[in-house]
Structures are given as C-alpha cells and as structure tokens.
Amino acid sequence: MTLSFGTRLRTAMDERGPLCVGIDPHAALLDSWGLTDDIAGLERFTFTVVEALAETVAVFKPQSAFFERFGSRGIAVLERATADLRAAGGLVVMDAKRGDIGSTMAAYAETFLRKDSPLFSDALTVSPYLGYGALKPAVDLARESGAGLFVLALTSNPEGAEVQRAVREDGRTIGATMLAHLAEENAGETPMGSFGAVVGATLGDLSSFDLDINGPLLAPGIGAQGATPADLPAVFGAAVRNVVPNVSRGVLRNGPDVAALRDSAHRYADEIRAAVAG
C-alpha cells in the first residue's frame, strides 16, 4: 500500500532536514549562471540542480511555468527532472497553481496526480478561488494516489490580501475558511495529513489564524524575499514543526557550482532545523 504524502513528507523532513528548494529557471537566473535562455540552458540548469541536491534535500518545488514557456521540449525536461528527483528519494511538489471546475479540474488532477502520468508528482499547488469544493477532483485523486495538495491560503504577495483577508458573512476571512477546510481533510491523520496550505513566511504575526491544520504548511519567502529561518517560530507558532520552508534564489544563486549548491542547501536545512527545534 502506498504511504500517504503526509507520512512520506514527515519522514523526508526528519531524515533530510525541513527544506524545500524551488526550481525556478527564469531568464535572469539562467543568465547569472552564464547560460542561454533556451532549451540548452534550461537542461543544463535543471540537471545541475538535480545532480547537486536530489540525494540530500527533502522536497523540491519546480515552477511549471518556467518549463512550459519552452513548449513541449521544456515540459520534457520537467518530466525527466521530476522522475529523477523522485528516483533519488526527493519529494516533488509541482508548483502549477491549478484551479478550475468539473472535468477541467479533473484533467489538471490527472496531469499531476495520476500515478501513471509522466508528470506525476508527490503534491500539487492548487488555487481554491473558484470555491474550495471545486478542488474535489484533485482531493479525491490525491487520496487515491497517496499524493498531496498545497492550497493557496495566505500568500506573501501583497495583492493576495484583497481576496484572502476578505471577510465572509459569518465573520471569517477567506484565508481562514481555506485553513478550516484543510483541517477537516486532515482530521485524524498521523503523523500528519496530506492536504497543506501555502502560507508566506514573510507575513509576520499570524496568531489570528488557526494554522494547526494537522497538515503541512508550504512557506515561501525564506532567503531572497527577506524572511529568515529564525523568523519561522514567530510566524507559525505551534504549527512550526509542520512548516515546509521554501528557498529558491537563496540556494540557486550559488550555481552552477555543484558543491556550492550543496553547501547552501545544507546550511539552510541546518538553520531551519535549529529554529524549529527552538
């Protein structure tokens, strides 16, 4: 029987350290590595990251858009990288932020969450702003496949607040409503559920939100965006042990040197582990 994503994530973070490395091959980053903004550059960048980190980092978050922009050849690179990362023991969270209704949502789910799909990933980021219930095809297929979801709840971009902090008629914000849905999905799961939230590490005091959803909290913003590992306990409180801190540029700017990439990832993992341990 396939272990749930929540179980596999807990094990990976305990063994390899609580770190997620984003794989974001945008043009400026390729240029900083001395690479061309084309398929050759994309391949060199992607598989250097795989070589450097696949066997030691717990979680990887490829940003699908940076591969999709190269068409079918870019998606082929993403397929290979996803398979290679998973084969080396890393967990892949596909950052595609899909969200739709009915058969279209089901098709998105099949793309990333069906076990025999070329892009099968351990988890998928999804947008719930057509209504949380519209995510049901993804929720159902994730359960069937032993995969997980990360639902946008309290994102770090300033524009997000106009939706996520809007207040419903019952007095609860939209973001809090999404957290409550996820807590329901994860009820009774051990060591934690597979349905997580995206919550920005740069948001400061979030004590007015109940982050104890018994599931993972994907936390972008560590490193170049300004948050530090030491900030995590103040932001996430009692839920900090389930935080999956994402670092992208903070690690990737050290490439293309493989040893420098490894050293940077190890430092972040150690700093985060120490901060979480208190």
Side-chain angles (χ1 to χ4, degrees):
M1 183 175 67
T2 301
L3 295 175
S4 70
F5 173 66
T7 298
R8 291 182 289 118
L9 177 61
R10 177 80 277 151
T11 299
M13 292 200 299
D14 288 348
E15 292 180 352
R16 294 190 173 196
L19 176 65
C20 172
V21 172
I23 304 179
D24 301 341
H26 53 76
L29 187 54
L30 294 177
D31 182 68
S32 74
W33 279 35
L35 301 175
T36 51
D37 186 24
D38 55 18
I39 284 292
L42 179 72
E43 288 183 328
R44 174 73 184 279
F45 173 90
T46 302
F47 293 107
T48 299
V49 174
V50 171
E51 176 189 354
L53 305 179
E55 295 184 352
T56 57
V57 169
V59 186
F60 296 89
K61 185 174 70 64
Q63 171 47 260
S64 179
F66 291 123
F67 296 85
E68 293 175 36
R69 70 194 182 103
F70 292 105
S72 61
R73 295 177 69 192
I75 293 171
V77 172
L78 181 59
E79 289 176 0
R80 287 168 48 205
T82 298
D84 288 354
L85 291 166
R86 298 189 71 245
L91 300 182
V92 173
V93 175
M94 187 63 68
D95 193 2
K97 298 184 178 71
R98 298 302 198 249
D100 216 301
I101 62 172
S103 60
T104 306
M105 189 66 239
Y108 282 139
E110 290 169 5
T111 301
F112 300 105
L113 301 173
R114 194 186 70 236
K115 278 192 169 182
D116 61 351
S117 169
L119 283 168
F120 176 72
S121 304
D122 297 282
L124 172 68
T125 61
V126 292
S127 174
Y129 296 111
L130 287 171
Y132 183 84
L135 298 178
K136 188 175 187 302
V139 171
D140 290 347
L141 188 53
R143 287 193 188 282
E144 178 183 329
S145 301
L149 297 178
F150 284 99
V151 177
L152 303 178
L154 296 167
T155 59
S156 55
N157 62 305
E159 303 89 347
E162 70 181 70
V163 174
Q164 297 155 17
R165 300 198 185 223
V167 179
R168 294 163 26 117
E169 290 182 357
D170 63 4
R172 189 164 58 177
T173 65
I174 301 296
T177 299
M178 298 308 155
L179 293 169
H181 282 304
L182 293 167
E184 292 176 7
E185 301 285 4
N186 294 324
E189 296 291 331
T190 58
M192 67 176 167
S194 299
F195 298 94
V198 179
V199 178
T202 57
L203 294 177
D205 183 7
L206 293 175
S207 59
S208 60
F209 292 92
D210 186 0
L211 299 177
D212 187 11
I213 62 171
N214 190 34
L217 301 169
L218 182 63
I222 303 292
Q225 294 183 49
T228 69
D231 296 327
L232 294 172
V235 176
F236 293 95
V240 71
R241 186 167 182 269
N242 288 345
V243 170
V244 186
N246 180 77
V247 181
S248 296
R249 283 171 289 175
V251 171
L252 299 180
R253 66 188 176 195
N254 294 284
D257 185 279
V258 167
L261 286 166
R262 286 177 181 154
D263 289 345
S264 178
H266 289 161
R267 284 196 303 272
Y268 271 111
D270 288 344
E271 290 176 17
I272 293 166
R273 186 186 282 112
V276 169

PDB file of all heavy atoms in Angstrom, residues 148-187:
ATOM      1  N   GLY A 148      -0.483  14.604  -2.372  1.00  0.00           N
ATOM      2  CA  GLY A 148      -0.982  15.685  -1.529  1.00  0.00           C
ATOM      3  C   GLY A 148      -1.294  16.923  -2.338  1.00  0.00           C
ATOM      4  O   GLY A 148      -1.021  16.996  -3.546  1.00  0.00           O
ATOM      5  N   LEU A 149      -1.870  17.901  -1.668  1.00  0.00           N
ATOM      6  CA  LEU A 149      -2.146  19.201  -2.264  1.00  0.00           C
ATOM      7  C   LEU A 149      -1.636  20.284  -1.337  1.00  0.00           C
ATOM      8  O   LEU A 149      -1.612  20.122  -0.107  1.00  0.00           O
ATOM      9  CB  LEU A 149      -3.653  19.411  -2.464  1.00  0.00           C
ATOM     10  CG  LEU A 149      -4.405  18.481  -3.403  1.00  0.00           C
ATOM     11  CD1 LEU A 149      -5.888  18.834  -3.400  1.00  0.00           C
ATOM     12  CD2 LEU A 149      -3.847  18.541  -4.816  1.00  0.00           C
ATOM     13  N   PHE A 150      -1.255  21.417  -1.919  1.00  0.00           N
ATOM     14  CA  PHE A 150      -0.994  22.636  -1.165  1.00  0.00           C
ATOM     15  C   PHE A 150      -1.924  23.711  -1.718  1.00  0.00           C
ATOM     16  O   PHE A 150      -1.801  24.122  -2.873  1.00  0.00           O
ATOM     17  CB  PHE A 150       0.465  23.072  -1.278  1.00  0.00           C
ATOM     18  CG  PHE A 150       1.404  22.253  -0.434  1.00  0.00           C
ATOM     19  CD1 PHE A 150       2.138  21.221  -0.988  1.00  0.00           C
ATOM     20  CD2 PHE A 150       1.525  22.508   0.924  1.00  0.00           C
ATOM     21  CE1 PHE A 150       2.998  20.465  -0.215  1.00  0.00           C
ATOM     22  CE2 PHE A 150       2.382  21.752   1.713  1.00  0.00           C
ATOM     23  CZ  PHE A 150       3.117  20.726   1.149  1.00  0.00           C
ATOM     24  N   VAL A 151      -2.841  24.147  -0.889  1.00  0.00           N
ATOM     25  CA  VAL A 151      -3.885  25.085  -1.288  1.00  0.00           C
ATOM     26  C   VAL A 151      -3.458  26.506  -0.932  1.00  0.00           C
ATOM     27  O   VAL A 151      -3.022  26.768   0.202  1.00  0.00           O
ATOM     28  CB  VAL A 151      -5.203  24.729  -0.574  1.00  0.00           C
ATOM     29  CG1 VAL A 151      -6.293  25.737  -0.900  1.00  0.00           C
ATOM     30  CG2 VAL A 151      -5.644  23.316  -0.961  1.00  0.00           C
ATOM     31  N   LEU A 152      -3.558  27.431  -1.871  1.00  0.00           N
ATOM     32  CA  LEU A 152      -3.220  28.822  -1.598  1.00  0.00           C
ATOM     33  C   LEU A 152      -4.153  29.366  -0.513  1.00  0.00           C
ATOM     34  O   LEU A 152      -5.368  29.409  -0.697  1.00  0.00           O
ATOM     35  CB  LEU A 152      -3.360  29.660  -2.864  1.00  0.00           C
ATOM     36  CG  LEU A 152      -2.539  29.215  -4.080  1.00  0.00           C
ATOM     37  CD1 LEU A 152      -2.821  30.127  -5.265  1.00  0.00           C
ATOM     38  CD2 LEU A 152      -1.063  29.184  -3.758  1.00  0.00           C
ATOM     39  N   ALA A 153      -3.579  29.784   0.601  1.00  0.00           N
ATOM     40  CA  ALA A 153      -4.396  30.265   1.718  1.00  0.00           C
ATOM     41  C   ALA A 153      -4.020  31.674   2.135  1.00  0.00           C
ATOM     42  O   ALA A 153      -4.853  32.580   2.148  1.00  0.00           O
ATOM     43  CB  ALA A 153      -4.273  29.306   2.905  1.00  0.00           C
ATOM     44  N   LEU A 154      -2.751  31.880   2.492  1.00  0.00           N
ATOM     45  CA  LEU A 154      -2.269  33.196   2.933  1.00  0.00           C
ATOM     46  C   LEU A 154      -0.928  33.431   2.236  1.00  0.00           C
ATOM     47  O   LEU A 154       0.130  33.168   2.788  1.00  0.00           O
ATOM     48  CB  LEU A 154      -2.097  33.234   4.454  1.00  0.00           C
ATOM     49  CG  LEU A 154      -3.378  33.062   5.275  1.00  0.00           C
ATOM     50  CD1 LEU A 154      -3.057  32.800   6.735  1.00  0.00           C
ATOM     51  CD2 LEU A 154      -4.273  34.289   5.139  1.00  0.00           C
ATOM     52  N   THR A 155      -0.993  33.925   1.032  1.00  0.00           N
ATOM     53  CA  THR A 155       0.210  34.062   0.230  1.00  0.00           C
ATOM     54  C   THR A 155       0.936  35.363   0.548  1.00  0.00           C
ATOM     55  O   THR A 155       0.357  36.296   1.099  1.00  0.00           O
ATOM     56  CB  THR A 155      -0.114  33.974  -1.267  1.00  0.00           C
ATOM     57  OG1 THR A 155      -1.044  35.000  -1.612  1.00  0.00           O
ATOM     58  CG2 THR A 155      -0.727  32.617  -1.597  1.00  0.00           C
ATOM     59  N   SER A 156       2.212  35.409   0.192  1.00  0.00           N
ATOM     60  CA  SER A 156       3.051  36.537   0.589  1.00  0.00           C
ATOM     61  C   SER A 156       2.936  37.741  -0.332  1.00  0.00           C
ATOM     62  O   SER A 156       3.363  38.837   0.042  1.00  0.00           O
ATOM     63  CB  SER A 156       4.519  36.086   0.668  1.00  0.00           C
ATOM     64  OG  SER A 156       4.925  35.505  -0.551  1.00  0.00           O
ATOM     65  N   ASN A 157       2.351  37.563  -1.535  1.00  0.00           N
ATOM     66  CA  ASN A 157       2.237  38.726  -2.426  1.00  0.00           C
ATOM     67  C   ASN A 157       1.193  39.699  -1.883  1.00  0.00           C
ATOM     68  O   ASN A 157       0.128  39.292  -1.402  1.00  0.00           O
ATOM     69  CB  ASN A 157       1.851  38.278  -3.835  1.00  0.00           C
ATOM     70  CG  ASN A 157       0.494  37.600  -3.873  1.00  0.00           C
ATOM     71  OD1 ASN A 157       0.276  36.630  -3.139  1.00  0.00           O
ATOM     72  ND2 ASN A 157      -0.409  38.079  -4.711  1.00  0.00           N
ATOM     73  N   PRO A 158       1.458  40.999  -1.914  1.00  0.00           N
ATOM     74  CA  PRO A 158       0.539  41.971  -1.305  1.00  0.00           C
ATOM     75  C   PRO A 158      -0.857  41.965  -1.920  1.00  0.00           C
ATOM     76  O   PRO A 158      -1.837  42.252  -1.241  1.00  0.00           O
ATOM     77  CB  PRO A 158       1.238  43.317  -1.502  1.00  0.00           C
ATOM     78  CG  PRO A 158       2.344  43.082  -2.484  1.00  0.00           C
ATOM     79  CD  PRO A 158       2.686  41.641  -2.427  1.00  0.00           C
ATOM     80  N   GLU A 159      -0.961  41.604  -3.196  1.00  0.00           N
ATOM     81  CA  GLU A 159      -2.274  41.594  -3.843  1.00  0.00           C
ATOM     82  C   GLU A 159      -3.193  40.519  -3.274  1.00  0.00           C
ATOM     83  O   GLU A 159      -4.424  40.626  -3.348  1.00  0.00           O
ATOM     84  CB  GLU A 159      -2.128  41.359  -5.352  1.00  0.00           C
ATOM     85  CG  GLU A 159      -1.258  42.360  -6.077  1.00  0.00           C
ATOM     86  CD  GLU A 159       0.208  41.963  -6.111  1.00  0.00           C
ATOM     87  OE1 GLU A 159       0.610  41.034  -5.361  1.00  0.00           O
ATOM     88  OE2 GLU A 159       0.961  42.585  -6.884  1.00  0.00           O
ATOM     89  N   GLY A 160      -2.586  39.465  -2.720  1.00  0.00           N
ATOM     90  CA  GLY A 160      -3.379  38.349  -2.220  1.00  0.00           C
ATOM     91  C   GLY A 160      -4.326  38.726  -1.102  1.00  0.00           C
ATOM     92  O   GLY A 160      -5.389  38.106  -0.936  1.00  0.00           O
ATOM     93  N   ALA A 161      -3.981  39.751  -0.344  1.00  0.00           N
ATOM     94  CA  ALA A 161      -4.787  40.102   0.821  1.00  0.00           C
ATOM     95  C   ALA A 161      -6.203  40.523   0.451  1.00  0.00           C
ATOM     96  O   ALA A 161      -7.147  40.298   1.223  1.00  0.00           O
ATOM     97  CB  ALA A 161      -4.102  41.216   1.604  1.00  0.00           C
ATOM     98  N   GLU A 162      -6.395  41.126  -0.733  1.00  0.00           N
ATOM     99  CA  GLU A 162      -7.723  41.604  -1.088  1.00  0.00           C
ATOM    100  C   GLU A 162      -8.726  40.468  -1.253  1.00  0.00           C
ATOM    101  O   GLU A 162      -9.934  40.672  -1.109  1.00  0.00           O
ATOM    102  CB  GLU A 162      -7.693  42.454  -2.353  1.00  0.00           C
ATOM    103  CG  GLU A 162      -7.405  41.699  -3.633  1.00  0.00           C
ATOM    104  CD  GLU A 162      -7.373  42.627  -4.847  1.00  0.00           C
ATOM    105  OE1 GLU A 162      -6.421  43.434  -4.959  1.00  0.00           O
ATOM    106  OE2 GLU A 162      -8.303  42.544  -5.662  1.00  0.00           O
ATOM    107  N   VAL A 163      -8.221  39.268  -1.515  1.00  0.00           N
ATOM    108  CA  VAL A 163      -9.092  38.091  -1.580  1.00  0.00           C
ATOM    109  C   VAL A 163      -8.997  37.292  -0.283  1.00  0.00           C
ATOM    110  O   VAL A 163     -10.002  36.993   0.357  1.00  0.00           O
ATOM    111  CB  VAL A 163      -8.707  37.203  -2.776  1.00  0.00           C
ATOM    112  CG1 VAL A 163      -9.512  35.911  -2.771  1.00  0.00           C
ATOM    113  CG2 VAL A 163      -8.901  37.953  -4.082  1.00  0.00           C
ATOM    114  N   GLN A 164      -7.782  36.966   0.122  1.00  0.00           N
ATOM    115  CA  GLN A 164      -7.587  36.028   1.223  1.00  0.00           C
ATOM    116  C   GLN A 164      -7.983  36.595   2.586  1.00  0.00           C
ATOM    117  O   GLN A 164      -8.350  35.828   3.485  1.00  0.00           O
ATOM    118  CB  GLN A 164      -6.126  35.580   1.232  1.00  0.00           C
ATOM    119  CG  GLN A 164      -5.750  34.828  -0.035  1.00  0.00           C
ATOM    120  CD  GLN A 164      -4.274  34.898  -0.347  1.00  0.00           C
ATOM    121  OE1 GLN A 164      -3.448  35.236   0.504  1.00  0.00           O
ATOM    122  NE2 GLN A 164      -3.914  34.582  -1.590  1.00  0.00           N
ATOM    123  N   ARG A 165      -7.936  37.906   2.738  1.00  0.00           N
ATOM    124  CA  ARG A 165      -8.321  38.507   4.026  1.00  0.00           C
ATOM    125  C   ARG A 165      -9.689  39.183   3.961  1.00  0.00           C
ATOM    126  O   ARG A 165     -10.101  39.845   4.919  1.00  0.00           O
ATOM    127  CB  ARG A 165      -7.241  39.474   4.495  1.00  0.00           C
ATOM    128  CG  ARG A 165      -5.900  38.746   4.681  1.00  0.00           C
ATOM    129  CD  ARG A 165      -4.931  39.502   5.537  1.00  0.00           C
ATOM    130  NE  ARG A 165      -3.642  38.841   5.599  1.00  0.00           N
ATOM    131  CZ  ARG A 165      -2.931  38.686   6.707  1.00  0.00           C
ATOM    132  NH1 ARG A 165      -3.399  39.131   7.859  1.00  0.00           N
ATOM    133  NH2 ARG A 165      -1.757  38.079   6.687  1.00  0.00           N
ATOM    134  N   ALA A 166     -10.383  38.995   2.837  1.00  0.00           N
ATOM    135  CA  ALA A 166     -11.758  39.475   2.768  1.00  0.00           C
ATOM    136  C   ALA A 166     -12.602  38.696   3.775  1.00  0.00           C
ATOM    137  O   ALA A 166     -12.379  37.508   4.013  1.00  0.00           O
ATOM    138  CB  ALA A 166     -12.307  39.287   1.362  1.00  0.00           C
ATOM    139  N   VAL A 167     -13.583  39.379   4.374  1.00  0.00           N
ATOM    140  CA  VAL A 167     -14.390  38.781   5.448  1.00  0.00           C
ATOM    141  C   VAL A 167     -15.728  38.306   4.900  1.00  0.00           C
ATOM    142  O   VAL A 167     -16.447  39.060   4.233  1.00  0.00           O
ATOM    143  CB  VAL A 167     -14.593  39.788   6.590  1.00  0.00           C
ATOM    144  CG1 VAL A 167     -15.446  39.177   7.700  1.00  0.00           C
ATOM    145  CG2 VAL A 167     -13.231  40.228   7.150  1.00  0.00           C
ATOM    146  N   ARG A 168     -16.061  37.073   5.191  1.00  0.00           N
ATOM    147  CA  ARG A 168     -17.335  36.497   4.781  1.00  0.00           C
ATOM    148  C   ARG A 168     -18.466  36.955   5.693  1.00  0.00           C
ATOM    149  O   ARG A 168     -18.230  37.591   6.720  1.00  0.00           O
ATOM    150  CB  ARG A 168     -17.244  34.961   4.832  1.00  0.00           C
ATOM    151  CG  ARG A 168     -16.294  34.364   3.845  1.00  0.00           C
ATOM    152  CD  ARG A 168     -15.907  32.928   4.190  1.00  0.00           C
ATOM    153  NE  ARG A 168     -16.892  32.210   4.975  1.00  0.00           N
ATOM    154  CZ  ARG A 168     -17.540  31.113   4.562  1.00  0.00           C
ATOM    155  NH1 ARG A 168     -17.307  30.646   3.346  1.00  0.00           N
ATOM    156  NH2 ARG A 168     -18.366  30.482   5.355  1.00  0.00           N
ATOM    157  N   GLU A 169     -19.685  36.596   5.331  1.00  0.00           N
ATOM    158  CA  GLU A 169     -20.832  36.976   6.142  1.00  0.00           C
ATOM    159  C   GLU A 169     -20.774  36.381   7.542  1.00  0.00           C
ATOM    160  O   GLU A 169     -21.329  36.959   8.490  1.00  0.00           O
ATOM    161  CB  GLU A 169     -22.127  36.536   5.451  1.00  0.00           C
ATOM    162  CG  GLU A 169     -22.442  37.339   4.189  1.00  0.00           C
ATOM    163  CD  GLU A 169     -23.753  36.914   3.558  1.00  0.00           C
ATOM    164  OE1 GLU A 169     -24.392  35.959   4.070  1.00  0.00           O
ATOM    165  OE2 GLU A 169     -24.154  37.533   2.551  1.00  0.00           O
ATOM    166  N   ASP A 170     -20.104  35.230   7.685  1.00  0.00           N
ATOM    167  CA  ASP A 170     -20.007  34.612   9.009  1.00  0.00           C
ATOM    168  C   ASP A 170     -18.887  35.199   9.851  1.00  0.00           C
ATOM    169  O   ASP A 170     -18.623  34.732  10.965  1.00  0.00           O
ATOM    170  CB  ASP A 170     -19.827  33.094   8.882  1.00  0.00           C
ATOM    171  CG  ASP A 170     -18.529  32.704   8.171  1.00  0.00           C
ATOM    172  OD1 ASP A 170     -17.719  33.595   7.840  1.00  0.00           O
ATOM    173  OD2 ASP A 170     -18.322  31.489   7.934  1.00  0.00           O
ATOM    174  N   GLY A 171     -18.217  36.235   9.338  1.00  0.00           N
ATOM    175  CA  GLY A 171     -17.163  36.902  10.094  1.00  0.00           C
ATOM    176  C   GLY A 171     -15.794  36.297   9.932  1.00  0.00           C
ATOM    177  O   GLY A 171     -14.817  36.813  10.479  1.00  0.00           O
ATOM    178  N   ARG A 172     -15.678  35.213   9.180  1.00  0.00           N
ATOM    179  CA  ARG A 172     -14.397  34.554   8.987  1.00  0.00           C
ATOM    180  C   ARG A 172     -13.793  34.986   7.662  1.00  0.00           C
ATOM    181  O   ARG A 172     -14.501  35.163   6.669  1.00  0.00           O
ATOM    182  CB  ARG A 172     -14.598  33.033   9.000  1.00  0.00           C
ATOM    183  CG  ARG A 172     -13.322  32.230   9.033  1.00  0.00           C
ATOM    184  CD  ARG A 172     -13.576  30.790   9.443  1.00  0.00           C
ATOM    185  NE  ARG A 172     -14.523  30.095   8.581  1.00  0.00           N
ATOM    186  CZ  ARG A 172     -14.857  28.812   8.712  1.00  0.00           C
ATOM    187  NH1 ARG A 172     -14.332  28.100   9.702  1.00  0.00           N
ATOM    188  NH2 ARG A 172     -15.712  28.250   7.887  1.00  0.00           N
ATOM    189  N   THR A 173     -12.473  35.157   7.628  1.00  0.00           N
ATOM    190  CA  THR A 173     -11.831  35.541   6.370  1.00  0.00           C
ATOM    191  C   THR A 173     -11.800  34.356   5.404  1.00  0.00           C
ATOM    192  O   THR A 173     -11.953  33.192   5.802  1.00  0.00           O
ATOM    193  CB  THR A 173     -10.385  36.020   6.591  1.00  0.00           C
ATOM    194  OG1 THR A 173      -9.609  34.922   7.080  1.00  0.00           O
ATOM    195  CG2 THR A 173     -10.332  37.189   7.561  1.00  0.00           C
ATOM    196  N   ILE A 174     -11.573  34.675   4.129  1.00  0.00           N
ATOM    197  CA  ILE A 174     -11.469  33.623   3.122  1.00  0.00           C
ATOM    198  C   ILE A 174     -10.276  32.714   3.437  1.00  0.00           C
ATOM    199  O   ILE A 174     -10.371  31.489   3.347  1.00  0.00           O
ATOM    200  CB  ILE A 174     -11.329  34.227   1.715  1.00  0.00           C
ATOM    201  CG1 ILE A 174     -12.534  35.106   1.379  1.00  0.00           C
ATOM    202  CG2 ILE A 174     -11.148  33.128   0.679  1.00  0.00           C
ATOM    203  CD1 ILE A 174     -13.838  34.388   1.303  1.00  0.00           C
ATOM    204  N   GLY A 175      -9.150  33.315   3.807  1.00  0.00           N
ATOM    205  CA  GLY A 175      -7.976  32.515   4.131  1.00  0.00           C
ATOM    206  C   GLY A 175      -8.233  31.561   5.281  1.00  0.00           C
ATOM    207  O   GLY A 175      -7.850  30.386   5.239  1.00  0.00           O
ATOM    208  N   ALA A 176      -8.895  32.047   6.320  1.00  0.00           N
ATOM    209  CA  ALA A 176      -9.217  31.198   7.460  1.00  0.00           C
ATOM    210  C   ALA A 176     -10.169  30.081   7.061  1.00  0.00           C
ATOM    211  O   ALA A 176     -10.094  28.954   7.580  1.00  0.00           O
ATOM    212  CB  ALA A 176      -9.824  32.033   8.575  1.00  0.00           C
ATOM    213  N   THR A 177     -11.073  30.384   6.141  1.00  0.00           N
ATOM    214  CA  THR A 177     -12.002  29.363   5.649  1.00  0.00           C
ATOM    215  C   THR A 177     -11.252  28.243   4.953  1.00  0.00           C
ATOM    216  O   THR A 177     -11.560  27.054   5.144  1.00  0.00           O
ATOM    217  CB  THR A 177     -13.023  29.995   4.685  1.00  0.00           C
ATOM    218  OG1 THR A 177     -13.761  30.997   5.387  1.00  0.00           O
ATOM    219  CG2 THR A 177     -13.979  28.954   4.130  1.00  0.00           C
ATOM    220  N   MET A 178     -10.250  28.584   4.140  1.00  0.00           N
ATOM    221  CA  MET A 178      -9.460  27.562   3.459  1.00  0.00           C
ATOM    222  C   MET A 178      -8.698  26.706   4.476  1.00  0.00           C
ATOM    223  O   MET A 178      -8.620  25.479   4.348  1.00  0.00           O
ATOM    224  CB  MET A 178      -8.482  28.203   2.471  1.00  0.00           C
ATOM    225  CG  MET A 178      -9.162  28.976   1.354  1.00  0.00           C
ATOM    226  SD  MET A 178     -10.413  27.974   0.515  1.00  0.00           S
ATOM    227  CE  MET A 178     -11.481  29.268  -0.139  1.00  0.00           C
ATOM    228  N   LEU A 179      -8.154  27.320   5.497  1.00  0.00           N
ATOM    229  CA  LEU A 179      -7.453  26.573   6.538  1.00  0.00           C
ATOM    230  C   LEU A 179      -8.399  25.609   7.243  1.00  0.00           C
ATOM    231  O   LEU A 179      -8.030  24.471   7.543  1.00  0.00           O
ATOM    232  CB  LEU A 179      -6.816  27.532   7.546  1.00  0.00           C
ATOM    233  CG  LEU A 179      -5.673  28.395   7.010  1.00  0.00           C
ATOM    234  CD1 LEU A 179      -5.328  29.488   8.023  1.00  0.00           C
ATOM    235  CD2 LEU A 179      -4.441  27.554   6.709  1.00  0.00           C
ATOM    236  N   ALA A 180      -9.629  26.053   7.481  1.00  0.00           N
ATOM    237  CA  ALA A 180     -10.610  25.193   8.146  1.00  0.00           C
ATOM    238  C   ALA A 180     -10.966  23.992   7.268  1.00  0.00           C
ATOM    239  O   ALA A 180     -11.110  22.860   7.765  1.00  0.00           O
ATOM    240  CB  ALA A 180     -11.862  25.995   8.489  1.00  0.00           C
ATOM    241  N   HIS A 181     -11.121  24.211   5.968  1.00  0.00           N
ATOM    242  CA  HIS A 181     -11.385  23.083   5.059  1.00  0.00           C
ATOM    243  C   HIS A 181     -10.253  22.063   5.130  1.00  0.00           C
ATOM    244  O   HIS A 181     -10.498  20.846   5.153  1.00  0.00           O
ATOM    245  CB  HIS A 181     -11.516  23.590   3.623  1.00  0.00           C
ATOM    246  CG  HIS A 181     -12.827  24.220   3.298  1.00  0.00           C
ATOM    247  ND1 HIS A 181     -14.036  23.570   3.464  1.00  0.00           N
ATOM    248  CD2 HIS A 181     -13.137  25.440   2.771  1.00  0.00           C
ATOM    249  CE1 HIS A 181     -15.023  24.364   3.078  1.00  0.00           C
ATOM    250  NE2 HIS A 181     -14.506  25.502   2.654  1.00  0.00           N
ATOM    251  N   LEU A 182      -9.022  22.548   5.143  1.00  0.00           N
ATOM    252  CA  LEU A 182      -7.876  21.640   5.164  1.00  0.00           C
ATOM    253  C   LEU A 182      -7.792  20.875   6.478  1.00  0.00           C
ATOM    254  O   LEU A 182      -7.440  19.685   6.490  1.00  0.00           O
ATOM    255  CB  LEU A 182      -6.586  22.433   4.912  1.00  0.00           C
ATOM    256  CG  LEU A 182      -6.498  23.018   3.501  1.00  0.00           C
ATOM    257  CD1 LEU A 182      -5.376  24.035   3.413  1.00  0.00           C
ATOM    258  CD2 LEU A 182      -6.303  21.919   2.465  1.00  0.00           C
ATOM    259  N   ALA A 183      -8.122  21.540   7.581  1.00  0.00           N
ATOM    260  CA  ALA A 183      -8.147  20.841   8.865  1.00  0.00           C
ATOM    261  C   ALA A 183      -9.147  19.690   8.834  1.00  0.00           C
ATOM    262  O   ALA A 183      -8.897  18.603   9.387  1.00  0.00           O
ATOM    263  CB  ALA A 183      -8.485  21.820   9.988  1.00  0.00           C
ATOM    264  N   GLU A 184     -10.271  19.892   8.174  1.00  0.00           N
ATOM    265  CA  GLU A 184     -11.256  18.823   8.033  1.00  0.00           C
ATOM    266  C   GLU A 184     -10.705  17.675   7.203  1.00  0.00           C
ATOM    267  O   GLU A 184     -10.908  16.495   7.538  1.00  0.00           O
ATOM    268  CB  GLU A 184     -12.533  19.364   7.398  1.00  0.00           C
ATOM    269  CG  GLU A 184     -13.320  20.329   8.278  1.00  0.00           C
ATOM    270  CD  GLU A 184     -14.530  20.901   7.557  1.00  0.00           C
ATOM    271  OE1 GLU A 184     -14.827  20.458   6.434  1.00  0.00           O
ATOM    272  OE2 GLU A 184     -15.176  21.799   8.128  1.00  0.00           O
ATOM    273  N   GLU A 185     -10.006  17.991   6.118  1.00  0.00           N
ATOM    274  CA  GLU A 185      -9.428  16.936   5.280  1.00  0.00           C
ATOM    275  C   GLU A 185      -8.421  16.092   6.065  1.00  0.00           C
ATOM    276  O   GLU A 185      -8.295  14.873   5.839  1.00  0.00           O
ATOM    277  CB  GLU A 185      -8.714  17.542   4.063  1.00  0.00           C
ATOM    278  CG  GLU A 185      -9.559  18.391   3.139  1.00  0.00           C
ATOM    279  CD  GLU A 185     -10.502  17.608   2.252  1.00  0.00           C
ATOM    280  OE1 GLU A 185     -10.571  16.366   2.385  1.00  0.00           O
ATOM    281  OE2 GLU A 185     -11.182  18.248   1.434  1.00  0.00           O
ATOM    282  N   ASN A 186      -7.694  16.718   6.978  1.00  0.00           N
ATOM    283  CA  ASN A 186      -6.589  16.061   7.675  1.00  0.00           C
ATOM    284  C   ASN A 186      -6.989  15.456   9.018  1.00  0.00           C
ATOM    285  O   ASN A 186      -6.137  14.878   9.709  1.00  0.00           O
ATOM    286  CB  ASN A 186      -5.454  17.061   7.914  1.00  0.00           C
ATOM    287  CG  ASN A 186      -4.811  17.532   6.631  1.00  0.00           C
ATOM    288  OD1 ASN A 186      -4.663  16.774   5.681  1.00  0.00           O
ATOM    289  ND2 ASN A 186      -4.431  18.812   6.595  1.00  0.00           N
ATOM    290  N   ALA A 187      -8.233  15.579   9.388  1.00  0.00           N
ATOM    291  CA  ALA A 187      -8.662  15.134  10.720  1.00  0.00           C
ATOM    292  C   ALA A 187      -8.325  13.661  10.943  1.00  0.00           C
ATOM    293  O   ALA A 187      -8.632  12.800  10.106  1.00  0.00           O
ATOM    294  CB  ALA A 187     -10.161  15.360  10.884  1.00  0.00           C
TER     295      ALA A 187
END
